[in-house]
Amino acid sequence: MFIIRARYSILAGFLCLFGILACGQPAEPANPTLPAATIIPSAIVPSEPVITGKGIVVIQQTTSTENVGTFPLFQWEAVPGAVRYILVVKTGESRPYWSWEGAETSVYLGGGGSEPPPEGSVGPRLFEPMTWTVYAFAADDRLVGASARRPISP
Amino acid sequence: MGVLLLSTIVTPNDAAAQPSFQPGLVLPDGQWTATAVTAGPITGAGFAGAIIYDGAFSFIVTDGVVAGDWNILGTSNFSGGCFSGNGAYVIEGIIDGTAAGPVLRQTGGYGNSTVSLCDGTEQSGPISMSGALTAPITLTSVSCEQAVGHFKLPADMAVASGGASSDLVAPFIATRAEAVLSHDMEIYSGEVTALTLEGLDLTNSVEGGELLDFVALNEILGRAEELYRQLRLINDCDRRNAGEFINSLQSTIAGLIDTALAHPDQFSSHDIARLISAALRVGLIGDGAADPDLASQYERELINELERRLDEGLDDCVDAAGLVVGADLLGVDGLLEAIQTDLDALCL
């Protein structure tokens, strides 16, 4: 989370002292109101998996968190022993939005092929910052991997 | 529930449980093409069989008024003892009414049947069509590009082939012509029909007691998504939400969920989680649903099912994992936390 702290420059203070600038009380450093679409830099992306347990590895998600466009490609590293994955995308308010199941370790939002959907096409689309999580399952339906809830924004 | 059943025979009680017309679901102006595929058993004096209905609809909505035409092909096979037969007939008519409540009205029909008799001979002849279908269409999801709904085919529709056991509910899947990038509505509609038929086969097998073939289900879901890419956004109508979408297999998934909730012993917790994923994938539930009210109903039913399974006690690690993933898919954090505790205990 970017937090911008306002500081008086030494120059401004100097100019106030000598009456060159009409200065009132020094402004308190203000915590700015964050925009609705807050961009979270990769350095502080959550890494704690959504679900933990014995035998459940943390799935490493590799898609960038920002500037991914309307139909991002969700990618993650394969989990040993996994035969299928379930992915879920949630809105900024943590409401479920779209999901997918498959054997691959990548899928475009909206599915439907190895190429991104054409711009302007219908279907699920990244119209606001969202999060995504992926689960890995073995052939006997055991959960063998779970990722964090990773942010993503268009 | 029982809103979007595909092939399950609708008893009078089931028909009464379907939601009534919901104001706010209105077809935007434009040229539309729709399909409707359903199937069911037929019975007659000493014989039984099955019938499939395959409908094609073309209409224009102008200033909220619907005008167009349609035809429904019914093909049947039946047998009884030493005789067997088949029939094929077409009923046709007009579609009118309002953009919020279109209505199908039959204007004609014709058909032919062939029966192989016990003495080895065959008889063929025209089918006598009786009655006139008048069926209001109930819309359940509407976007600027697509619409999903259903209408009832009454039992005596199949009288030419002996008679249906009960009324059938046919899913109505409509697409605006302006949305199809290739502008080839015939090919697009044909592919929607093909996918719906395959979905119908899956639903029939599950209703017959077989386990759901998720490999086959995900295969047709993937093909439906490929088909979906042929549609472009049309922003000339008011959307209920910015990211809404409708997948043509929405009716299929709704029918499978209805079956799973009616026969929970036939589905593991992992199966339920996979169905929840499929429901999100087609825009039946979640914030992508074009009908938030319908989505809320299904979400509530699925949460209830997860809670019921938790209350009954979890069998093992796999059972717990299915529920915890299902809870996260539905965004029920409290339930997810409750199940996580069981998961830790069962998956030692």
Side-chain angles (χ1 to χ4, degrees):
Chain A
M1 179 181 300
F2 289 107
I3 300 178
I4 302 171
R5 300 189 184 279
R7 298 181 182 276
Y8 275 132
S9 68
I10 294 175
L11 175 61
F14 184 79
L15 295 174
C16 288
L17 182 64
F18 287 92
I20 296 173
L21 285 183
C23 306
Q25 291 289 330
E28 292 289 332
N31 289 328
T33 301
L34 292 170
T38 301
I39 297 174
I40 303 174
S42 300
I44 53 174
V45 170
S47 59
E48 189 68 26
V50 175
I51 297 171
T52 58
K54 182 179 171 63
I56 302 174
V57 303
V58 179
I59 301 176
Q60 299 300 320
Q61 299 153 289
T62 56
T63 300
S64 177
T65 59
E66 56 201 42
N67 300 317
V68 296
T70 310
F71 301 108
L73 178 66
F74 298 107
Q75 287 181 297
W76 57 93
E77 293 183 0
V79 174
V83 300
R84 64 174 169 271
Y85 301 88
I86 289 180
L87 176 145
V88 62
V89 179
K90 295 189 177 180
T91 66
E93 296 179 354
S94 294
R95 280 278 302 155
Y97 177 60
W98 181 73
S99 183
W100 168 90
E101 175 184 328
E104 299 79 10
T105 56
S106 65
V107 64
Y108 281 100
L109 177 58
S114 57
E115 296 293 323
E119 281 301 317
S121 65
V122 302
R125 45 202 178 273
L126 199 64
F127 59 92
E128 65 176 28
M130 297 188 185
T131 64
W132 65 285
T133 308
V134 64
Y135 301 100
F137 299 91
D140 60 358
D141 297 345
R142 278 182 305 114
L143 180 66
V144 294
S147 74
R149 210 182 306 283
R150 186 176 177 88
I152 191 165
S153 67
Chain B
M1 298 305 298
V3 174
L4 294 171
L5 299 175
L6 274 178
S7 67
T8 300
I9 301 302
V10 179
T11 65
N13 285 336
D14 288 344
Q18 294 174 31
S20 58
F21 163 68
Q22 299 185 37
L25 292 167
V26 179
L27 294 167
D29 285 358
Q31 183 166 359
W32 292 80
T33 301
T35 65
V37 176
T38 191
I42 55 174
T43 58
F47 66 90
I51 187 164
I52 295 178
Y53 291 108
D54 181 355
F57 311 77
S58 177
F59 56 95
I60 295 177
V61 180
T62 308
D63 295 329
V65 177
V66 177
D69 50 46
W70 55 270
N71 65 75
I72 297 176
L73 170 66
T75 54
S76 62
N77 290 284
F78 50 88
S79 63
C82 57
F83 73 92
S84 62
N86 57 76
Y89 59 89
V90 174
I91 60 168
E92 51 199 14
I94 62 170
I95 177 170
D96 60 15
T98 68
V103 181
L104 305 176
R105 302 184 198 279
Q106 181 180 346
T107 57
Y110 55 91
N112 200 288
S113 69
T114 300
V115 180
S116 299
L117 301 175
C118 293
D119 61 4
T121 60
E122 273 193 359
Q123 285 188 355
S124 295
I127 293 174
S128 172
M129 308 297 296
S130 64
L133 174 69
T134 298
I137 297 171
T138 300
L139 298 171
T140 54
S141 293
V142 178
S143 70
C144 299
E145 302 83 18
Q146 292 184 288
V148 174
H150 54 85
F151 61 92
K152 188 166 62 177
L153 288 165
D156 59 8
M157 270 277 300
V159 67
S161 297
S165 301
S166 329
D167 300 339
L168 293 179
V169 175
F172 181 82
I173 304 169
T175 307
R176 249 175 97 185
E178 296 92 326
V180 181
L181 286 168
S182 67
H183 302 291
D184 195 326
M185 287 304 300
E186 192 170 338
I187 291 180
Y188 182 86
S189 296
E191 292 182 21
V192 171
T193 297
L195 282 170
T196 310
L197 277 169
E198 291 183 54
L200 188 60
D201 286 342
L202 277 176
T203 308
N204 283 341
S205 68
V206 171
E207 290 174 351
E210 293 183 29
L211 296 179
L212 176 55
D213 184 347
F214 278 100
V215 172
L217 177 62
N218 280 295
E219 195 269 336
I220 62 172
L221 285 172
R223 282 166 45 208
E225 287 169 337
E226 283 187 55
L227 187 64
Y228 209 56
R229 290 180 171 213
Q230 297 182 31
L231 301 182
R232 67 175 186 89
L233 285 172
I234 306 175
N235 292 310
D236 62 352
C237 79
D238 293 328
R239 294 189 186 279
R240 294 177 73 135
N241 68 75
E244 68 183 16
F245 58 94
I246 299 174
N247 185 298
S248 54
L249 289 176
Q250 202 175 90
S251 301
T252 297
I253 301 302
L256 288 171
I257 291 176
D258 290 339
T259 300
L261 295 178
H263 305 285
D265 291 343
Q266 202 174 323
F267 295 79
S268 68
S269 297
H270 186 67
D271 292 340
I272 297 297
R274 297 174 86 174
L275 279 175
I276 294 171
S277 171
L280 283 167
R281 190 170 180 177
V282 298
L284 179 64
I285 64 173
D287 270 20
D291 184 1
D293 296 328
L294 184 66
S296 293
Q297 280 183 265
Y298 271 102
E299 287 176 34
R300 186 67 254 166
E301 293 281 338
L302 289 164
I303 291 171
N304 287 346
E305 177 59 21
L306 295 182
E307 290 175 339
R308 185 192 67 79
R309 288 171 183 252
L310 183 60
D311 288 343
E312 280 194 349
L314 302 174
D315 294 334
D316 52 31
C317 180
V318 172
D319 194 23
L323 288 192
V324 79
V325 170
D328 187 53
L329 290 174
L330 289 171
V332 189
D333 291 344
L335 188 58
L336 186 154
E337 289 167 10
I339 303 171
Q340 174 76 71
T341 305
D342 286 282
L343 185 73
D344 293 338
L346 287 168
C347 299
L348 293 174

